[in-house]
Amino acid sequence: DVKVTQSSRYLVKRTGEKVFLECVQDMDHENMFWYRQDPGLGLRLIYFSYDVKMKEKGDIPEGYSVSREKKERFSLILESASTNQTSMYLCASSTWGTGTNQRLYEQYFGPGTRLTVT
Amino acid sequence: TQLLEQSPQFLSIQEGENLTVYCNSSSVFSSLQWYRQEPGEGPVLLVTVVTGGEVKKLKRLTFQFGDARKDSSLHITAAQPGDTGLYLCANTYSSASKIIFGSGTRLSIRP
């Protein structure tokens, strides 16, 4: 089974603090993703990475950065946390398929980190 | 931008009843996934459908992909409290490995 783990289930930080959220996957997946999930807004993609040291902006990258130094690890960084970044943060990984391989794009999620910024 | 619409947004039914939830798009899906998310957890992949008209069954869950590959449905037979959760459909997004998610159907099963 694919396992995606996140460093914390719950986190409380103060406004202005630098926050690190860590994600590790054990299936040698090429692609990793960070989402935030808010009531009424669904899942929104922050950043994703398709290879080590590669990253691409998602739909809402402002206020966030990412780091992928190793294939299995993808970190989300809040440079200066603000109250509007209070949310559920979800990490996911996926592999590339080949041809008509339907496993392409299937995402495997971690349990989430509920971050509260006060 | 592709948009996935899910309906209904909320559904509360009695244990033992049947239900159907829907996922629709104005664009053709390349493939479509269904996920279930329980409170406080991440989404878990249930199924992927690829071929127009395809039907897949997972115990009491039946997934159908529309012939034109622009819609999908999830039917649950004899719902149980363990079926409670947020059901999300998702589709591939342009040429990248990103996918987009619908806003979900929040299902509650009353004992």
Side-chain angles (χ1 to χ4, degrees), chain A residues 80-111:
Chain A
S80 177
S82 63
T83 54
N84 63 12
Q85 291 179 310
T86 291
S87 186
M88 173 72 136
Y89 288 87
L90 290 159
C91 174
S93 71
S94 74
T95 189
W96 294 105
T98 55
T100 57
N101 186 346
Q102 68 179 38
R103 301 197 75 78
L104 178 63
Y105 307 143
E106 292 175 351
Q107 302 211 338
Y108 296 86
F109 285 85

PDB file of all heavy atoms in Angstrom, chain A residues 80-111:
ATOM      1  N   SER A  80       5.812  33.630   6.315  1.00  0.00           N
ATOM      2  CA  SER A  80       5.365  34.475   7.428  1.00  0.00           C
ATOM      3  C   SER A  80       3.875  34.206   7.601  1.00  0.00           C
ATOM      4  O   SER A  80       3.054  34.787   6.893  1.00  0.00           O
ATOM      5  CB  SER A  80       5.630  35.948   7.114  1.00  0.00           C
ATOM      6  OG  SER A  80       5.145  36.778   8.155  1.00  0.00           O
ATOM      7  N   ALA A  81       3.568  33.312   8.513  1.00  0.00           N
ATOM      8  CA  ALA A  81       2.189  32.825   8.631  1.00  0.00           C
ATOM      9  C   ALA A  81       1.214  33.963   8.920  1.00  0.00           C
ATOM     10  O   ALA A  81       1.505  34.892   9.682  1.00  0.00           O
ATOM     11  CB  ALA A  81       2.103  31.773   9.725  1.00  0.00           C
ATOM     12  N   SER A  82       0.051  33.852   8.288  1.00  0.00           N
ATOM     13  CA  SER A  82      -1.017  34.822   8.539  1.00  0.00           C
ATOM     14  C   SER A  82      -2.296  34.071   8.885  1.00  0.00           C
ATOM     15  O   SER A  82      -2.436  32.876   8.575  1.00  0.00           O
ATOM     16  CB  SER A  82      -1.231  35.711   7.316  1.00  0.00           C
ATOM     17  OG  SER A  82      -1.667  34.931   6.224  1.00  0.00           O
ATOM     18  N   THR A  83      -3.235  34.769   9.498  1.00  0.00           N
ATOM     19  CA  THR A  83      -4.457  34.105   9.967  1.00  0.00           C
ATOM     20  C   THR A  83      -5.252  33.515   8.797  1.00  0.00           C
ATOM     21  O   THR A  83      -5.950  32.511   8.969  1.00  0.00           O
ATOM     22  CB  THR A  83      -5.337  35.072  10.763  1.00  0.00           C
ATOM     23  OG1 THR A  83      -5.585  36.245   9.979  1.00  0.00           O
ATOM     24  CG2 THR A  83      -4.659  35.479  12.070  1.00  0.00           C
ATOM     25  N   ASN A  84      -5.144  34.124   7.610  1.00  0.00           N
ATOM     26  CA  ASN A  84      -5.896  33.563   6.479  1.00  0.00           C
ATOM     27  C   ASN A  84      -5.256  32.302   5.905  1.00  0.00           C
ATOM     28  O   ASN A  84      -5.761  31.720   4.931  1.00  0.00           O
ATOM     29  CB  ASN A  84      -6.124  34.607   5.373  1.00  0.00           C
ATOM     30  CG  ASN A  84      -4.838  35.102   4.748  1.00  0.00           C
ATOM     31  OD1 ASN A  84      -3.766  34.520   4.963  1.00  0.00           O
ATOM     32  ND2 ASN A  84      -4.915  36.176   3.988  1.00  0.00           N
ATOM     33  N   GLN A  85      -4.176  31.850   6.503  1.00  0.00           N
ATOM     34  CA  GLN A  85      -3.583  30.574   6.129  1.00  0.00           C
ATOM     35  C   GLN A  85      -3.993  29.458   7.090  1.00  0.00           C
ATOM     36  O   GLN A  85      -3.531  28.316   6.955  1.00  0.00           O
ATOM     37  CB  GLN A  85      -2.055  30.693   6.062  1.00  0.00           C
ATOM     38  CG  GLN A  85      -1.603  31.568   4.900  1.00  0.00           C
ATOM     39  CD  GLN A  85      -0.093  31.730   4.832  1.00  0.00           C
ATOM     40  OE1 GLN A  85       0.560  32.060   5.826  1.00  0.00           O
ATOM     41  NE2 GLN A  85       0.472  31.506   3.658  1.00  0.00           N
ATOM     42  N   THR A  86      -4.870  29.776   8.017  1.00  0.00           N
ATOM     43  CA  THR A  86      -5.481  28.734   8.845  1.00  0.00           C
ATOM     44  C   THR A  86      -6.303  27.833   7.935  1.00  0.00           C
ATOM     45  O   THR A  86      -7.192  28.294   7.219  1.00  0.00           O
ATOM     46  CB  THR A  86      -6.379  29.364   9.922  1.00  0.00           C
ATOM     47  OG1 THR A  86      -5.563  30.042  10.869  1.00  0.00           O
ATOM     48  CG2 THR A  86      -7.223  28.297  10.624  1.00  0.00           C
ATOM     49  N   SER A  87      -5.980  26.540   7.945  1.00  0.00           N
ATOM     50  CA  SER A  87      -6.620  25.639   6.993  1.00  0.00           C
ATOM     51  C   SER A  87      -6.188  24.205   7.266  1.00  0.00           C
ATOM     52  O   SER A  87      -5.326  23.935   8.095  1.00  0.00           O
ATOM     53  CB  SER A  87      -6.218  26.020   5.558  1.00  0.00           C
ATOM     54  OG  SER A  87      -6.920  25.259   4.596  1.00  0.00           O
ATOM     55  N   MET A  88      -6.796  23.286   6.505  1.00  0.00           N
ATOM     56  CA  MET A  88      -6.345  21.898   6.462  1.00  0.00           C
ATOM     57  C   MET A  88      -5.408  21.775   5.268  1.00  0.00           C
ATOM     58  O   MET A  88      -5.797  22.115   4.144  1.00  0.00           O
ATOM     59  CB  MET A  88      -7.549  20.971   6.294  1.00  0.00           C
ATOM     60  CG  MET A  88      -7.190  19.509   6.070  1.00  0.00           C
ATOM     61  SD  MET A  88      -6.558  18.726   7.555  1.00  0.00           S
ATOM     62  CE  MET A  88      -7.433  17.172   7.488  1.00  0.00           C
ATOM     63  N   TYR A  89      -4.182  21.287   5.512  1.00  0.00           N
ATOM     64  CA  TYR A  89      -3.200  21.126   4.439  1.00  0.00           C
ATOM     65  C   TYR A  89      -3.016  19.639   4.138  1.00  0.00           C
ATOM     66  O   TYR A  89      -2.752  18.833   5.032  1.00  0.00           O
ATOM     67  CB  TYR A  89      -1.864  21.762   4.839  1.00  0.00           C
ATOM     68  CG  TYR A  89      -1.947  23.265   4.841  1.00  0.00           C
ATOM     69  CD1 TYR A  89      -2.375  23.964   5.967  1.00  0.00           C
ATOM     70  CD2 TYR A  89      -1.655  23.996   3.682  1.00  0.00           C
ATOM     71  CE1 TYR A  89      -2.494  25.341   5.956  1.00  0.00           C
ATOM     72  CE2 TYR A  89      -1.774  25.378   3.666  1.00  0.00           C
ATOM     73  CZ  TYR A  89      -2.196  26.035   4.817  1.00  0.00           C
ATOM     74  OH  TYR A  89      -2.328  27.401   4.791  1.00  0.00           O
ATOM     75  N   LEU A  90      -3.158  19.325   2.880  1.00  0.00           N
ATOM     76  CA  LEU A  90      -3.083  17.930   2.444  1.00  0.00           C
ATOM     77  C   LEU A  90      -1.952  17.757   1.448  1.00  0.00           C
ATOM     78  O   LEU A  90      -1.828  18.527   0.489  1.00  0.00           O
ATOM     79  CB  LEU A  90      -4.392  17.501   1.788  1.00  0.00           C
ATOM     80  CG  LEU A  90      -5.587  17.365   2.733  1.00  0.00           C
ATOM     81  CD1 LEU A  90      -6.887  17.440   1.965  1.00  0.00           C
ATOM     82  CD2 LEU A  90      -5.513  16.061   3.501  1.00  0.00           C
ATOM     83  N   CYS A  91      -1.154  16.733   1.681  1.00  0.00           N
ATOM     84  CA  CYS A  91      -0.087  16.353   0.757  1.00  0.00           C
ATOM     85  C   CYS A  91      -0.542  15.119  -0.018  1.00  0.00           C
ATOM     86  O   CYS A  91      -1.290  14.281   0.522  1.00  0.00           O
ATOM     87  CB  CYS A  91       1.178  16.045   1.547  1.00  0.00           C
ATOM     88  SG  CYS A  91       2.538  15.399   0.569  1.00  0.00           S
ATOM     89  N   ALA A  92      -0.127  15.011  -1.259  1.00  0.00           N
ATOM     90  CA  ALA A  92      -0.471  13.855  -2.071  1.00  0.00           C
ATOM     91  C   ALA A  92       0.699  13.497  -2.976  1.00  0.00           C
ATOM     92  O   ALA A  92       1.574  14.326  -3.249  1.00  0.00           O
ATOM     93  CB  ALA A  92      -1.716  14.120  -2.910  1.00  0.00           C
ATOM     94  N   SER A  93       0.715  12.248  -3.431  1.00  0.00           N
ATOM     95  CA  SER A  93       1.722  11.836  -4.400  1.00  0.00           C
ATOM     96  C   SER A  93       1.050  11.020  -5.490  1.00  0.00           C
ATOM     97  O   SER A  93      -0.037  10.467  -5.305  1.00  0.00           O
ATOM     98  CB  SER A  93       2.842  11.029  -3.734  1.00  0.00           C
ATOM     99  OG  SER A  93       2.372   9.746  -3.346  1.00  0.00           O
ATOM    100  N   SER A  94       1.700  10.958  -6.645  1.00  0.00           N
ATOM    101  CA  SER A  94       1.197  10.137  -7.740  1.00  0.00           C
ATOM    102  C   SER A  94       2.373   9.755  -8.622  1.00  0.00           C
ATOM    103  O   SER A  94       3.446  10.373  -8.569  1.00  0.00           O
ATOM    104  CB  SER A  94       0.134  10.866  -8.564  1.00  0.00           C
ATOM    105  OG  SER A  94       0.712  11.849  -9.389  1.00  0.00           O
ATOM    106  N   THR A  95       2.128   8.744  -9.438  1.00  0.00           N
ATOM    107  CA  THR A  95       3.172   8.325 -10.356  1.00  0.00           C
ATOM    108  C   THR A  95       2.752   8.641 -11.780  1.00  0.00           C
ATOM    109  O   THR A  95       1.583   8.916 -12.053  1.00  0.00           O
ATOM    110  CB  THR A  95       3.442   6.820 -10.198  1.00  0.00           C
ATOM    111  OG1 THR A  95       4.591   6.470 -10.945  1.00  0.00           O
ATOM    112  CG2 THR A  95       2.250   5.989 -10.651  1.00  0.00           C
ATOM    113  N   TRP A  96       3.708   8.642 -12.688  1.00  0.00           N
ATOM    114  CA  TRP A  96       3.372   8.726 -14.099  1.00  0.00           C
ATOM    115  C   TRP A  96       2.954   7.345 -14.555  1.00  0.00           C
ATOM    116  O   TRP A  96       3.495   6.366 -14.129  1.00  0.00           O
ATOM    117  CB  TRP A  96       4.597   9.144 -14.932  1.00  0.00           C
ATOM    118  CG  TRP A  96       5.103  10.504 -14.675  1.00  0.00           C
ATOM    119  CD1 TRP A  96       6.217  10.846 -13.985  1.00  0.00           C
ATOM    120  CD2 TRP A  96       4.515  11.731 -15.108  1.00  0.00           C
ATOM    121  NE1 TRP A  96       6.371  12.204 -13.963  1.00  0.00           N
ATOM    122  CE2 TRP A  96       5.353  12.780 -14.643  1.00  0.00           C
ATOM    123  CE3 TRP A  96       3.372  12.048 -15.847  1.00  0.00           C
ATOM    124  CZ2 TRP A  96       5.071  14.116 -14.892  1.00  0.00           C
ATOM    125  CZ3 TRP A  96       3.087  13.384 -16.101  1.00  0.00           C
ATOM    126  CH2 TRP A  96       3.937  14.392 -15.620  1.00  0.00           C
ATOM    127  N   GLY A  97       1.984   7.273 -15.461  1.00  0.00           N
ATOM    128  CA  GLY A  97       1.679   6.002 -16.110  1.00  0.00           C
ATOM    129  C   GLY A  97       2.304   6.018 -17.484  1.00  0.00           C
ATOM    130  O   GLY A  97       2.965   6.988 -17.879  1.00  0.00           O
ATOM    131  N   THR A  98       2.076   4.980 -18.241  1.00  0.00           N
ATOM    132  CA  THR A  98       2.540   4.948 -19.625  1.00  0.00           C
ATOM    133  C   THR A  98       1.375   4.532 -20.506  1.00  0.00           C
ATOM    134  O   THR A  98       0.564   3.689 -20.124  1.00  0.00           O
ATOM    135  CB  THR A  98       3.692   3.954 -19.822  1.00  0.00           C
ATOM    136  OG1 THR A  98       3.275   2.671 -19.358  1.00  0.00           O
ATOM    137  CG2 THR A  98       4.924   4.388 -19.050  1.00  0.00           C
ATOM    138  N   GLY A  99       1.280   5.117 -21.665  1.00  0.00           N
ATOM    139  CA  GLY A  99       0.209   4.780 -22.581  1.00  0.00           C
ATOM    140  C   GLY A  99      -1.155   4.981 -21.966  1.00  0.00           C
ATOM    141  O   GLY A  99      -1.470   6.055 -21.483  1.00  0.00           O
ATOM    142  N   THR A 100      -1.942   3.962 -21.946  1.00  0.00           N
ATOM    143  CA  THR A 100      -3.301   4.081 -21.424  1.00  0.00           C
ATOM    144  C   THR A 100      -3.395   3.605 -19.987  1.00  0.00           C
ATOM    145  O   THR A 100      -4.471   3.269 -19.496  1.00  0.00           O
ATOM    146  CB  THR A 100      -4.274   3.254 -22.284  1.00  0.00           C
ATOM    147  OG1 THR A 100      -3.811   1.899 -22.297  1.00  0.00           O
ATOM    148  CG2 THR A 100      -4.322   3.783 -23.702  1.00  0.00           C
ATOM    149  N   ASN A 101      -2.275   3.606 -19.304  1.00  0.00           N
ATOM    150  CA  ASN A 101      -2.274   3.176 -17.905  1.00  0.00           C
ATOM    151  C   ASN A 101      -3.180   4.082 -17.082  1.00  0.00           C
ATOM    152  O   ASN A 101      -2.916   5.259 -16.918  1.00  0.00           O
ATOM    153  CB  ASN A 101      -0.852   3.225 -17.353  1.00  0.00           C
ATOM    154  CG  ASN A 101      -0.753   2.660 -15.952  1.00  0.00           C
ATOM    155  OD1 ASN A 101      -1.758   2.470 -15.280  1.00  0.00           O
ATOM    156  ND2 ASN A 101       0.454   2.419 -15.494  1.00  0.00           N
ATOM    157  N   GLN A 102      -4.259   3.508 -16.584  1.00  0.00           N
ATOM    158  CA  GLN A 102      -5.224   4.343 -15.889  1.00  0.00           C
ATOM    159  C   GLN A 102      -4.756   4.759 -14.509  1.00  0.00           C
ATOM    160  O   GLN A 102      -5.436   5.519 -13.836  1.00  0.00           O
ATOM    161  CB  GLN A 102      -6.567   3.644 -15.798  1.00  0.00           C
ATOM    162  CG  GLN A 102      -6.554   2.416 -14.884  1.00  0.00           C
ATOM    163  CD  GLN A 102      -7.923   1.768 -14.810  1.00  0.00           C
ATOM    164  OE1 GLN A 102      -8.629   1.704 -15.804  1.00  0.00           O
ATOM    165  NE2 GLN A 102      -8.302   1.300 -13.657  1.00  0.00           N
ATOM    166  N   ARG A 103      -3.632   4.277 -14.057  1.00  0.00           N
ATOM    167  CA  ARG A 103      -3.161   4.695 -12.740  1.00  0.00           C
ATOM    168  C   ARG A 103      -2.503   6.070 -12.814  1.00  0.00           C
ATOM    169  O   ARG A 103      -2.199   6.677 -11.821  1.00  0.00           O
ATOM    170  CB  ARG A 103      -2.173   3.668 -12.177  1.00  0.00           C
ATOM    171  CG  ARG A 103      -2.780   2.290 -12.050  1.00  0.00           C
ATOM    172  CD  ARG A 103      -1.979   1.406 -11.149  1.00  0.00           C
ATOM    173  NE  ARG A 103      -2.173   1.749  -9.751  1.00  0.00           N
ATOM    174  CZ  ARG A 103      -3.228   1.399  -9.044  1.00  0.00           C
ATOM    175  NH1 ARG A 103      -4.194   0.710  -9.603  1.00  0.00           N
ATOM    176  NH2 ARG A 103      -3.343   1.734  -7.782  1.00  0.00           N
ATOM    177  N   LEU A 104      -2.291   6.557 -14.047  1.00  0.00           N
ATOM    178  CA  LEU A 104      -1.755   7.898 -14.194  1.00  0.00           C
ATOM    179  C   LEU A 104      -2.699   8.884 -13.538  1.00  0.00           C
ATOM    180  O   LEU A 104      -3.896   8.836 -13.712  1.00  0.00           O
ATOM    181  CB  LEU A 104      -1.625   8.218 -15.687  1.00  0.00           C
ATOM    182  CG  LEU A 104      -1.116   9.603 -16.053  1.00  0.00           C
ATOM    183  CD1 LEU A 104       0.299   9.804 -15.556  1.00  0.00           C
ATOM    184  CD2 LEU A 104      -1.205   9.808 -17.547  1.00  0.00           C
ATOM    185  N   TYR A 105      -2.175   9.762 -12.747  1.00  0.00           N
ATOM    186  CA  TYR A 105      -2.894  10.859 -12.108  1.00  0.00           C
ATOM    187  C   TYR A 105      -3.642  10.452 -10.853  1.00  0.00           C
ATOM    188  O   TYR A 105      -4.154  11.311 -10.166  1.00  0.00           O
ATOM    189  CB  TYR A 105      -3.886  11.537 -13.064  1.00  0.00           C
ATOM    190  CG  TYR A 105      -3.283  11.981 -14.376  1.00  0.00           C
ATOM    191  CD1 TYR A 105      -4.011  11.895 -15.553  1.00  0.00           C
ATOM    192  CD2 TYR A 105      -1.996  12.485 -14.449  1.00  0.00           C
ATOM    193  CE1 TYR A 105      -3.470  12.293 -16.760  1.00  0.00           C
ATOM    194  CE2 TYR A 105      -1.444  12.887 -15.650  1.00  0.00           C
ATOM    195  CZ  TYR A 105      -2.195  12.785 -16.807  1.00  0.00           C
ATOM    196  OH  TYR A 105      -1.665  13.179 -18.000  1.00  0.00           O
ATOM    197  N   GLU A 106      -3.735   9.178 -10.529  1.00  0.00           N
ATOM    198  CA  GLU A 106      -4.386   8.807  -9.270  1.00  0.00           C
ATOM    199  C   GLU A 106      -3.516   9.289  -8.132  1.00  0.00           C
ATOM    200  O   GLU A 106      -2.315   9.054  -8.101  1.00  0.00           O
ATOM    201  CB  GLU A 106      -4.574   7.293  -9.179  1.00  0.00           C
ATOM    202  CG  GLU A 106      -5.577   6.763 -10.171  1.00  0.00           C
ATOM    203  CD  GLU A 106      -5.664   5.252 -10.150  1.00  0.00           C
ATOM    204  OE1 GLU A 106      -4.818   4.616  -9.488  1.00  0.00           O
ATOM    205  OE2 GLU A 106      -6.563   4.717 -10.799  1.00  0.00           O
ATOM    206  N   GLN A 107      -4.150   9.978  -7.205  1.00  0.00           N
ATOM    207  CA  GLN A 107      -3.389  10.603  -6.143  1.00  0.00           C
ATOM    208  C   GLN A 107      -3.618   9.892  -4.820  1.00  0.00           C
ATOM    209  O   GLN A 107      -4.723   9.451  -4.522  1.00  0.00           O
ATOM    210  CB  GLN A 107      -3.767  12.072  -6.021  1.00  0.00           C
ATOM    211  CG  GLN A 107      -3.534  12.832  -7.315  1.00  0.00           C
ATOM    212  CD  GLN A 107      -3.175  14.277  -7.125  1.00  0.00           C
ATOM    213  OE1 GLN A 107      -3.454  14.874  -6.109  1.00  0.00           O
ATOM    214  NE2 GLN A 107      -2.540  14.859  -8.128  1.00  0.00           N
ATOM    215  N   TYR A 108      -2.556   9.816  -4.040  1.00  0.00           N
ATOM    216  CA  TYR A 108      -2.594   9.180  -2.731  1.00  0.00           C
ATOM    217  C   TYR A 108      -2.278  10.256  -1.702  1.00  0.00           C
ATOM    218  O   TYR A 108      -1.237  10.900  -1.770  1.00  0.00           O
ATOM    219  CB  TYR A 108      -1.594   8.021  -2.677  1.00  0.00           C
ATOM    220  CG  TYR A 108      -1.950   6.934  -3.652  1.00  0.00           C
ATOM    221  CD1 TYR A 108      -1.521   6.995  -4.966  1.00  0.00           C
ATOM    222  CD2 TYR A 108      -2.757   5.879  -3.266  1.00  0.00           C
ATOM    223  CE1 TYR A 108      -1.873   6.017  -5.876  1.00  0.00           C
ATOM    224  CE2 TYR A 108      -3.115   4.891  -4.168  1.00  0.00           C
ATOM    225  CZ  TYR A 108      -2.678   4.966  -5.474  1.00  0.00           C
ATOM    226  OH  TYR A 108      -3.039   3.997  -6.368  1.00  0.00           O
ATOM    227  N   PHE A 109      -3.187  10.421  -0.769  1.00  0.00           N
ATOM    228  CA  PHE A 109      -3.125  11.533   0.165  1.00  0.00           C
ATOM    229  C   PHE A 109      -2.609  11.117   1.529  1.00  0.00           C
ATOM    230  O   PHE A 109      -2.830   9.992   1.991  1.00  0.00           O
ATOM    231  CB  PHE A 109      -4.516  12.145   0.354  1.00  0.00           C
ATOM    232  CG  PHE A 109      -4.967  12.978  -0.805  1.00  0.00           C
ATOM    233  CD1 PHE A 109      -5.576  12.392  -1.898  1.00  0.00           C
ATOM    234  CD2 PHE A 109      -4.775  14.357  -0.798  1.00  0.00           C
ATOM    235  CE1 PHE A 109      -5.996  13.164  -2.981  1.00  0.00           C
ATOM    236  CE2 PHE A 109      -5.192  15.133  -1.861  1.00  0.00           C
ATOM    237  CZ  PHE A 109      -5.804  14.538  -2.954  1.00  0.00           C
ATOM    238  N   GLY A 110      -1.957  12.067   2.195  1.00  0.00           N
ATOM    239  CA  GLY A 110      -1.646  11.919   3.600  1.00  0.00           C
ATOM    240  C   GLY A 110      -2.861  12.254   4.438  1.00  0.00           C
ATOM    241  O   GLY A 110      -3.900  12.645   3.913  1.00  0.00           O
ATOM    242  N   PRO A 111      -2.745  12.126   5.769  1.00  0.00           N
ATOM    243  CA  PRO A 111      -3.889  12.352   6.648  1.00  0.00           C
ATOM    244  C   PRO A 111      -4.221  13.820   6.872  1.00  0.00           C
ATOM    245  O   PRO A 111      -5.291  14.129   7.394  1.00  0.00           O
ATOM    246  CB  PRO A 111      -3.434  11.712   7.962  1.00  0.00           C
ATOM    247  CG  PRO A 111      -1.950  11.794   7.929  1.00  0.00           C
ATOM    248  CD  PRO A 111      -1.556  11.645   6.484  1.00  0.00           C
TER     249      PRO A 111
END
